[in-house]
Amino acid sequence: MDDSGNPQDVSVPPVEGVAGGGTAYGWTDGGLQGLNPHKGSVDPTEVPTADLVHVWCMPSTANVGPQEMPRNLELVNLLAARNERESIQIAVRPKVSWSGLGNAGVVQVQCSDLCSTSGDRLVVGQSIKLRRVVPILGVPDALVPLDLPVSQISLLPGETTAVWVSIDVPSAQPPGQYEGEIIITATKADAEIPSQCLGKSEKHQIYRDLRSCLEMVEPIDGKPVDELVERLKSATTSLRRVLLSPLFSEFVSYNGPVDMMEEDAISSLSVRVKIHMTVWDFILPETPSLPAVFGISDTVIEDRFGVEHGSDEWYEALDQHFKWLLQYRISPYFCRWGDSMRVLTYTCPWPADHPKSDEYFSNPRLAAYALPYSRSVSGGDAAKDYMQKQIEILRTKSHWKKAYFYLWDEPLNLEQYESLRSIASEIHAYAPDARVLTTYYCGPSDAPLAPTAFEAFVKVPKFLRPHTQIYCTSEWVLGNREDLVKDIIAEIQPENGEEWWTYVCMGPSDPHPNWHLGMRGTQHRAVMWRVWKEGGTGFLYWGANCYEKANVPSAEIRFRRGLPPGDGVLFYPGKVFSSSNEPVASVRLERILSGLQDIEYLRLYSSRYGRDEGLALLEKTGLYQGPERYTLEHMPIDAMRGEIFNACRS
């Protein structure tokens, strides 16, 4: 990245209890020369923000904790395909305390649209979102939404705060060079700008926004419907920004966004983070190339949100979770466990003849869907007859090829394997083309299939055939022996419709790729690099909301005992952090999305130059060579994506 913006002193202030400490209150690191650093003695409206805080940028793979050391502020350069999300982090750390409220001070964060020279925009609130990174067990993980286009953040003395910036590029976005900025301004905690005090530059900005709205909707003759929709969305966002300006502040509700500061004050005192994004012509496929199926516990939803199974509120809660997860290129399924790890899984809570069923299963963002089979948990002949009728309806649909049955989670002994075979036989009796998915990490322990544990594991497909079509194996079994993959693949019969998928859960552990809390950012993202390199055609994750039981939506999140922190939890209930019901994503979930997007880049490159060249690119860039040999830094990620951009752009 190029050096630009505001030069900053990057020395680290003393932290209480570390290397001699300090008080972590009212301290100064020399960034504010000649001023008394004691609380309340600094007026942020008269001092450059760069003298009060450090501001710098970090990649999405960085774990930016409270003690992250300041760096120089540089220009942000991003590359994104269409239908892709790219993210960065902006870190802010106070140099002095200027608030009398017990914190170091308050900064205002204001975001502009990203605009191209041809007038196209990536609009704040629509394509651009800001979220505050909140620690969970001391590790930066929860991404709590901030108000847009302006928000305020309270800073703690001696601690770094990070803002996660996500830019979603629509599929119809014209390729080109886009520029914008995020403005950081130190302010008083109770700062309000009266509507009468508008500067000339702010009035001109409102004029430009209104004129831009007019240009976006005129002329419309002969324009495609998709383009008209995008234009109207952009115009709506621009109008909303005008209505939220200080000119109309007296009419904005109390809970609305923070009023903008005067443009003149922002220009002279603020720190500006310049963002440059190259949008190229590649469009990520709407339907993910790799089915990534993730479980959502319906019982956790029922308990925490107090909704009764089958009630209107229950359907609404499940519907919200389903739609929300689709943005992460994930194909969700709801689940509940029976005894001996039998599992009931279903993607759509409505029956096959309900209109919602087609809405769910025909959604192009859904790559695969789970169908329930009640006897996998409970039920008699009536349940069996009902399920048979459901399947008969679905087999007539074009989306049937997406369907699978997930009946048993990690069978361990002969009895469990035989039960699985029996249930699968019932399904195949009236749906011979049905796909059954089985997760496993070993063969039946009481009836060894081969002399060694790994050899028995490899022989599971032969033992389960024809009762399973998707053999989903634990990455933990391989350890660091990536060469063993060929032994697994040799047993799979793709010519007969069989597939090899993989999964992670409590294993593998560090340093192998997984999604546990506290692992490196590249370690999270590398899960999908591993899938692509090993040649798996799908991926399963057992649970995204499997925290300890609670009966109140706002109850503290507790990870399940006996599991590594973060295992089974990829998002949090919104009410833990605010009044919103919308789930709060984790940093790890965003990195999963990035990894799935990386797969689309690698598939594009391999389709042009062959899979061997794609594998060579992983090695050439230093991105990923094996489960213990992958990059710890972000630069090889940009190198890989840049190579593909240069080789594949029109």
Side-chain angles (χ1 to χ4, degrees):
M1 293 193 291
D2 300 324
D3 289 331
S4 65
N6 304 272
Q8 299 183 62
D9 182 350
V10 297
S11 60
V12 181
V15 179
E16 187 171 6
V18 179
T23 63
Y25 176 78
W27 42 262
T28 177
D29 60 9
L32 188 62
Q33 300 295 334
L35 287 178
N36 183 346
H38 293 296
K39 67 173 182 177
S41 63
V42 178
D43 184 349
T45 63
E46 298 178 357
V47 179
T49 296
D51 287 347
L52 301 177
V53 297
H54 298 285
V55 179
W56 71 103
C57 297
M58 297 291 282
S60 59
T61 52
N63 290 329
V64 183
Q67 297 310 315
E68 183 71 31
M69 295 178 63
R71 308 183 184 199
N72 288 324
L73 177 61
E74 300 177 332
L75 171 70
V76 176
N77 276 303
L78 299 174
L79 170 69
R82 294 183 286 176
N83 194 33
E84 181 177 21
R85 175 181 298 176
E86 262 293 270
S87 299
I88 58 161
Q89 298 179 80
I90 298 175
V92 184
R93 185 184 183 100
K95 296 180 178 181
V96 298
S97 294
W98 67 91
S99 170
L101 302 177
N103 56 12
V106 173
V107 292
Q108 179 173 285
V109 182
Q110 180 176 342
C111 185
S112 76
D113 294 347
L114 296 186
C115 304
S116 70
T117 53
S118 59
D120 299 304
R121 291 177 177 237
L122 292 164
V123 180
V124 174
Q126 179 181 323
S127 291
I128 306 172
K129 296 178 182 177
L130 272 59
R131 290 169 288 179
R132 182 170 182 167
V133 184
V134 175
I136 302 294
L137 295 184
V139 178
D141 195 54
L143 298 176
V144 180
L146 294 174
D147 288 330
L148 290 172
V150 185
S151 191
Q152 286 188 349
I153 295 177
S154 178
L155 304 179
L156 295 176
E159 292 192 7
T160 296
T161 296
V163 174
W164 188 279
V165 182
S166 294
I167 305 171
D168 288 287
V169 182
S171 296
Q173 191 72 28
Q177 308 296 319
Y178 290 77
E179 294 184 350
E181 60 185 3
I182 293 176
I183 304 167
I184 311 294
T185 310
T187 184
K188 296 178 180 178
D190 57 350
E192 288 190 29
I193 306 300
S195 59
Q196 296 87 349
C197 299
L198 291 179
K200 180 178 180 180
S201 59
E202 191 166 3
K203 291 178 182 177
H204 188 239
Q205 179 62 46
I206 293 175
Y207 169 78
R208 283 186 299 175
D209 284 340
L210 291 172
R211 183 173 179 176
S212 172
C213 289
L214 192 61
E215 292 171 349
M216 278 187 268
V217 296
E218 292 183 346
I220 62 174
D221 294 338
K223 298 293 183 182
V225 174
D226 288 348
E227 182 179 336
L228 291 177
V229 170
E230 291 300 325
R231 285 183 176 219
L232 287 173
K233 287 181 179 178
S234 296
T236 299
T237 303
S238 295
L239 285 172
R240 184 178 294 110
R241 185 169 55 251
V242 170
L243 292 174
L244 293 175
S245 71
L247 179 62
F248 306 108
S249 62
E250 64 188 289
F251 306 115
V252 177
S253 65
Y254 178 78
N255 293 320
V258 180
D259 292 334
M260 298 183 187
M261 294 182 66
E262 285 193 80
E263 184 72 22
D264 294 341
I266 290 176
S267 299
S268 61
L269 298 177
S270 304
V271 174
R272 294 175 177 267
V273 180
K274 303 288 185 179
I275 299 176
H276 180 278
M277 171 174 272
T278 299
V279 175
W280 64 302
D281 53 352
F282 175 44
I283 303 176
L284 266 64
E286 188 172 15
T287 303
S289 301
L290 183 104
V293 299
F294 284 45
I296 310 171
S297 171
D298 60 4
T299 53
V300 167
I301 293 175
E302 291 164 11
D303 292 340
R304 179 170 281 267
F305 296 99
V307 294
E308 183 180 351
H309 188 92
S311 65
D312 289 345
E313 294 77 13
W314 181 81
Y315 282 106
E316 289 173 7
L318 268 59
D319 190 52
Q320 179 193 38
H321 283 77
F322 171 80
K323 291 176 178 176
W324 184 81
L325 274 172
L326 286 177
Q327 68 178 297
Y328 290 97
R329 302 186 72 80
I330 284 169
S331 296
Y333 65 86
F334 299 99
C335 56
R336 60 177 56 211
W337 276 264
D339 61 312
S340 303
M341 298 299 281
R342 289 186 296 174
V343 61
L344 176 70
T345 62
Y346 58 99
T347 292
C348 180
W350 284 274
D353 55 354
H354 193 283
K356 274 285 190 178
S357 174
D358 264 348
E359 177 188 322
Y360 268 50
F361 298 152
S362 297
N363 192 313
R365 295 190 293 171
L366 191 73
Y369 63 81
L371 293 177
Y373 195 71
S374 297
R375 198 169 80 78
S376 62
V377 174
S378 63
D381 290 340
K384 179 180 173 181
D385 292 342
Y386 174 77
M387 290 313 306
Q388 181 174 349
K389 291 177 182 177
Q390 296 292 296
I391 293 170
E392 287 173 353
I393 293 172
L394 293 171
R395 288 188 71 201
T396 66
K397 307 289 186 178
S398 60
H399 53 62
W400 169 252
K401 61 182 180 294
K402 298 182 185 180
Y404 67 93
F405 292 85
Y406 177 22
L407 309 172
W408 210 293
D409 184 33
E410 300 180 332
L412 298 177
N413 55 44
L414 190 59
E415 180 185 2
Q416 294 175 8
Y417 269 96
E418 289 295 349
S419 295
L420 168 60
R421 287 157 60 102
S422 173
I423 300 171
S425 294
E426 291 179 6
I427 294 172
H428 287 135
Y430 46 83
D433 56 345
R435 299 189 302 167
V436 173
L437 178 153
T438 301
T439 55
Y440 63 97
Y441 64 87
C442 65
S445 58
D446 52 353
L449 304 178
T452 69
F454 182 76
E455 289 175 320
F457 163 79
V458 168
K459 295 300 180 183
V460 166
K462 184 176 181 181
F463 180 66
L464 278 179
R465 189 175 292 122
H467 307 294
T468 290
Q469 286 65 49
I470 302 174
Y471 297 92
C472 189
T473 64
S474 169
E475 292 281 22
W476 166 80
V477 176
L478 296 174
N480 63 356
R481 294 284 307 279
E482 197 177 49
D483 58 297
L484 297 175
V485 168
K486 65 181 185 299
D487 297 322
I488 299 173
I489 293 177
E491 293 293 328
I492 307 298
Q493 299 177 357
E495 67 276 11
N496 293 325
E498 293 181 357
E499 295 186 53
W500 176 53
W501 292 17
T502 53
Y503 68 93
V504 297
C505 49
M506 60 189 303
S509 56
D510 191 62
H512 294 189
N514 207 325
W515 296 324
H516 300 162
L517 196 67
M519 287 182 166
R520 301 177 184 88
T522 55
Q523 197 170 359
H524 295 146
R525 194 159 172 170
V527 170
M528 291 304 164
W529 304 338
R530 179 175 191 173
V531 170
W532 188 84
K533 185 172 188 289
E534 292 177 349
T537 56
F539 191 87
L540 179 142
Y541 192 64
W542 71 278
N545 68 330
C546 296
Y547 19 79
E548 286 282 13
K549 181 176 180 177
N551 296 315
V552 180
S554 60
E556 178 186 2
I557 292 295
R558 296 183 183 275
F559 298 120
R560 292 190 178 177
R561 289 184 292 273
L563 298 179
D567 184 30
V569 177
L570 297 175
F571 63 85
Y572 304 98
K575 289 205 170 179
V576 173
F577 306 96
S578 70
S579 60
S580 173
N581 278 319
E582 182 172 313
V584 166
S586 68
V587 163
R588 294 166 293 128
L589 184 57
E590 291 291 334
R591 290 168 182 162
I592 292 169
L593 170 62
S594 296
L596 288 165
Q597 292 174 162
D598 292 338
I599 283 180
E600 303 296 355
Y601 272 64
L602 291 164
R603 283 179 59 88
L604 171 68
Y605 188 81
S606 298
S607 70
R608 300 274 185 93
Y609 303 102
R611 180 168 168 82
D612 287 345
E613 286 299 312
L615 293 170
L617 182 62
L618 292 184
E619 187 161 347
K620 172 186 174 183
T621 57
L623 185 73
Y624 183 89
Q625 298 178 58
E628 294 182 355
R629 295 182 300 151
Y630 53 88
T631 180
L632 305 182
E633 305 297 330
H634 191 85
M635 189 174 296
I637 298 175
D638 289 339
M640 180 272 289
R641 291 163 53 84
E643 288 266 2
I644 294 174
F645 164 70
N646 288 323
C648 298
R649 61 179 167 170
S650 300

